[in-house]
Amino acid sequence: MNTVLSRANSLFAFSLSVMAALTFGCFVTTAFKDRGVPVDIHVSKVMLKNVDDFTGPRERSDLGFLTFDLSADLQPIFDWNVKQLFLYLSAEYTTKSNSLNQVVLWDKIVLRGENTKLNLRDMKSKYFFFDDGNGLRSNKNITLSLSWNVVPNAGVLPLVGGSGQVSLPFPDAYETTKSY
C-alpha cells in the first residue's frame, strides 16, 4: 500500500528522532558537572608605558606589559562530551571613567588528547594591554583570572572561571626604556 519513498521517509524521520533523543541523553549526562579546577597564577614582572593612541583623538594611553607563570591541571574537566577548551587570561580593573574594564591578555585552545597539565613559565601577554586613557598608572587592584569555555560534542557552551586569581598593583611611574 505504501510506496518505497513513503517507507523511506518514515524510516528517516524515526532515525532522526532516535538520534535527537540520544543527543539529548548525551547532554543530560554531563550538563550539571562542575567544570572548575584550581588555577595558580603568579606575575613576575609588570611594566607600564605611556604611548600614542592611534585609535582616537591624538592622546596618549597606558600600555601595560606582564610576565606571568600559569599552572593548572585541566584533566578533570575532560570527559567524553568535551571536544576542546578555549582558555583565556583576562585582567579586570576599575578606573575613574569606567566602573569595569576587562581585557583579554592571553588565550589558548586545548584539544582532547593533548597535554592537559598547564605549566607555563615566563609567559608574556599575547595581546596588548591598552587602557583608554591613563587608568593603569598607580592602579592598585588589577585582577588576573583564567577562564575557559567548554566546547562539548552536544549541549550548551558553558563559561567557567578558574578558582585562582591574583590581584596586583601597577607602578606609579612610566618606563622609558625601548625594549620589553
Side-chain angles (χ1 to χ4, degrees), residues 22 31 52 78 83 96-97 101 111 125-126 130 143 147-148 152 166 171 178:
L22 288 174
D52 290 326
F78 279 89
K83 204 182 304 185
K96 293 176 185 172
S97 58
N101 295 285
L111 300 172
S125 307
K126 188 175 180 181
F130 264 111
T143 304
S147 303
W148 50 86
V166 64
K178 294 287 183 185

Side-chain angles (χ1 to χ4, degrees), residues 46-59:
V46 178
M47 193 169 79
L48 183 63
K49 290 187 176 184
N50 193 259
V51 297
D52 290 326
D53 185 4
F54 298 106
T55 60
R58 298 288 177 169
E59 296 179 3

Side-chain angles (χ1 to χ4, degrees), residues 154-172:
V156 297
L157 184 75
L159 170 64
V160 182
S163 63
Q165 59 186 15
V166 64
S167 294
L168 60 122
F170 258 65
D172 296 329

Side-chain angles (χ1 to χ4, degrees), residues 129-148:
F129 189 1
F130 264 111
D131 182 63
D132 59 348
N134 298 321
L136 292 179
R137 187 177 62 164
S138 301
N139 195 325
K140 301 300 181 198
N141 192 17
I142 295 177
T143 304
L144 299 180
S145 60
L146 184 71
S147 303
W148 50 86

